[in-house]
């Protein structure tokens, strides 16, 4: 078979490891591979590049994606959809391997429904894809946020301040949860828990009383009420660009106004998405990339490789798309144990 490989949506550490695994696994059983540039846009615009064992040499530990990515929605209109299908047919792609989050996998499902062969690989630093226990990118991105929190704690301590760290994650709080738990935040705010200003101020007050400074983690997706509305710029899939709401900055303003404690904020944004994948993400990306090829070889088109417990299994794309997989109550309960 001739596999066409694409990476769609926001990039994250581990994409290159997954691309490499697809290529190496396919070639190990004498299949061919070709790269599709910039996600679905590459199929729409017929932008294919050579992608064989030589092209994936030395990329297992490299951040970003050698194929490029975009948030292009291929089925946004009839003309684009026709062009995507025509590229697949004209270029003789027997299978499309779509590596991406919910948006990319939803488009993969649509492609499957339109009669083309496709398999999926879930990825996202947000860790919010349904049907899989973890996504690659999440561990590496969260480790960057933990490092940022520790740096902020140093300077908060020197200046007897409170500092709010705003992290990405969209409408799931996994990155904030991991950062708060692993970095020892005095308070951690997730979209899954209603905003409680009195509780937040209580935690900050307790931390200041105990050690003279406080560090707070806030997910970009928290809802601070009518003062910070949900109206903002949108991407191609209609998702609001949440960073523009600057919830970290707003929280810092509120803490300072209520407690009289000098408060700063930091929004680390795309710093979380760059850099090399950690060990966990390299291994998971490698297993999922190979797993997707195995699904295709087994004729399981319209499926996505996912992590269930310690195993890689295939599930129908339908089960992986839909509303985000959010932080579960047991994690929230654990998190509350560590508030100041
Ligand atoms: O989905 C990954 C993610 O990094 C989100 O956490 C964030 O809200 C969004 O992408 C940012 O998107 P962009 O790179 O388009 O600004």
């Amino acid at each position: 078979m001739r596999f066409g490989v694409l990476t769609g949506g926001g990039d994250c550490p581990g994409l290159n490891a997954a691309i490499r695994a697809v290529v190496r696994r396919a070639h190990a059983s004498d299949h061919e591979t070709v790269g599709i540039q910039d996600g679905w846009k590459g199929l729409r615009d017929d932008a294919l590049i050579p992608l064989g064992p030589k092209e994936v040499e030395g990329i297992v530990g490299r951040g970003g994606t050698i194929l490029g990515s975009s948030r292009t929605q291929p089925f946004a209109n009839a003309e684009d959809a026709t062009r995507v299908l025509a590229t697949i047919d004209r270029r003789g792609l027997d299978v499309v391997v779509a590596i991406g989050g919910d948006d990319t996998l939803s488009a993969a499902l649509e492609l499957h429904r339109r009669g083309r062969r496709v398999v999926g690989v879930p990825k996202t630093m947000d860790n919010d894809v349904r049907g899989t226990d973890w996504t690659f990118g999440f561990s590496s991105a969260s480790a960057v946020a933990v490092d940022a929190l520790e740096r902020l704690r140093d300077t908060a301590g020197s200046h007897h301040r409170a500092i709010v760290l705003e992290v990405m994650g969209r409408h799931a709080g996994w990155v904030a949860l991991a950062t708060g738990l692993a970095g020892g935040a005095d308070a951690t705010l997730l979209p899954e828990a209603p905003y409680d200003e009195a509780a937040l101020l209580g935690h900050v007050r307790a931390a200041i009383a105990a050690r003279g400074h406080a560090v707070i983690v806030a997910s970009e997706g928290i809802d601070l009420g009518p003062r910070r509305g949900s109206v903002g710029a949108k991407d191609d899939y209609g998702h609001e660009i949440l960073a523009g709401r600057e919830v970290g900055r707003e929280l810092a303003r509120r803490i300072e106004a209520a407690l009289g404690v000098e408060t700063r904020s930091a929004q680390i944004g795309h710093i979380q998405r760059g850099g090399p994948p950690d060990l966990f993400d390299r291994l998971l990306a490698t297993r999922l990339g190979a797993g997707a090829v195995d699904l295709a070889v087994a004729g399981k088109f319209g499926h996505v490789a996912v992590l269930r417990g310690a195993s890689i299994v295939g599930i129908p794309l339908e089960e992986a798309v839909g509303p985000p997989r959010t932080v579960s109550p047991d994690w929230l309960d654990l998190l509350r144990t560590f508030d100041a």
Side-chain angles (χ1 to χ4, degrees):
M1 286 184 288
R2 188 158 202 246
F3 288 77
V5 190
L6 66 82
T7 51
D11 66 352
C12 69
L15 284 171
N16 285 325
I19 294 166
R20 168 180 174 266
V22 170
V23 170
R24 296 286 294 269
R25 189 71 158 186
H27 283 256
S29 43
D30 291 331
H31 297 291
E32 271 179 55
T33 48
V34 59
I36 299 163
Q37 283 187 305
D38 299 336
W40 297 108
K41 189 164 176 275
L43 281 181
R44 186 193 68 191
D45 300 345
D46 193 19
L48 304 190
I49 51 171
L51 183 71
K54 183 140 187 46
E55 282 74 25
V56 299
E57 250 175 48
I59 65 166
V60 65
R62 265 172 58 190
T65 161
I66 60 164
L67 294 175
S69 191
S70 72
R71 294 196 189 276
T72 302
Q73 152 59 295
F75 300 107
N77 58 65
E79 194 197 325
D80 284 3
T82 306
R83 287 169 61 177
V84 164
L85 300 180
T87 302
I88 292 173
D89 298 342
R90 192 174 53 251
R91 299 292 208 126
L93 301 182
D94 298 302
V95 194
V96 173
V97 182
I99 306 174
D102 179 59
D103 294 332
T104 305
L105 296 178
S106 300
L109 177 58
E110 184 56 31
L111 185 63
H112 173 63
R113 289 185 172 143
R114 293 183 188 221
R116 302 306 187 280
R117 291 156 148 197
V118 58
V119 289
V121 175
K123 69 84 212 169
T124 167
M125 63 159 283
D126 300 341
N127 198 35
D128 63 351
V129 175
R130 304 181 79 76
T132 186
D133 290 348
W134 300 97
T135 53
F136 65 80
F138 165 67
S139 175
S140 309
S142 300
V144 171
V146 170
D147 178 64
L149 188 68
E150 289 175 339
R151 288 166 191 269
L152 293 173
R153 179 182 290 111
D154 288 347
T155 173
S158 307
H159 292 270
H160 316 294
R161 286 171 171 162
I163 302 190
V164 181
L165 170 63
E166 179 186 322
V167 299
M168 283 182 166
R170 231 191 261 275
H171 297 293
W174 292 105
V175 178
L177 173 90
T179 308
L181 276 180
D186 297 305
T188 304
L189 280 62
L190 313 184
E192 288 83 351
Y195 176 62
D196 181 343
E197 192 153 304
L200 169 68
L201 295 176
H203 299 318
V204 176
R205 201 181 284 117
I208 297 280
R211 68 192 81 92
H213 64 271
V215 285
I216 301 102
V217 175
S219 172
E220 63 176 1
I222 60 171
D223 183 359
L224 294 181
R227 298 181 50 129
R228 287 271 149 179
S230 58
V231 185
K234 302 222 162 121
D235 67 23
D236 272 9
Y237 282 84
H239 303 303
E240 185 192 354
I241 296 168
L242 294 173
R245 297 155 77 227
E246 298 186 331
V247 294
R249 184 189 288 230
E250 173 66 11
L251 284 172
R253 200 197 58 71
R254 291 186 190 188
I255 291 167
E256 186 163 304
L259 302 182
V261 178
E262 196 177 21
T263 308
R264 298 283 192 267
S265 66
Q267 192 186 47
I268 53 174
H270 294 83
I271 293 170
Q272 293 157 98
R273 294 228 308 251
D278 66 11
L279 174 68
F280 180 83
D281 285 339
R282 291 181 200 200
L283 292 179
L284 181 57
T286 298
R287 295 177 78 200
L288 291 174
V293 171
D294 293 349
L295 286 174
V297 169
K300 291 190 143 189
F301 303 110
H303 278 59
V304 53
V306 298
L307 180 70
R308 286 281 169 86
S311 305
I312 303 297
V313 300
I315 62 170
L317 275 164
E318 285 91 341
E319 290 178 25
V321 302
R325 188 180 68 93
T326 51
V327 173
S328 49
D330 55 326
W331 278 110
L332 287 174
D333 178 56
L334 178 65
L335 184 63
R336 295 286 80 94
T337 312
F338 297 97
D339 288 331

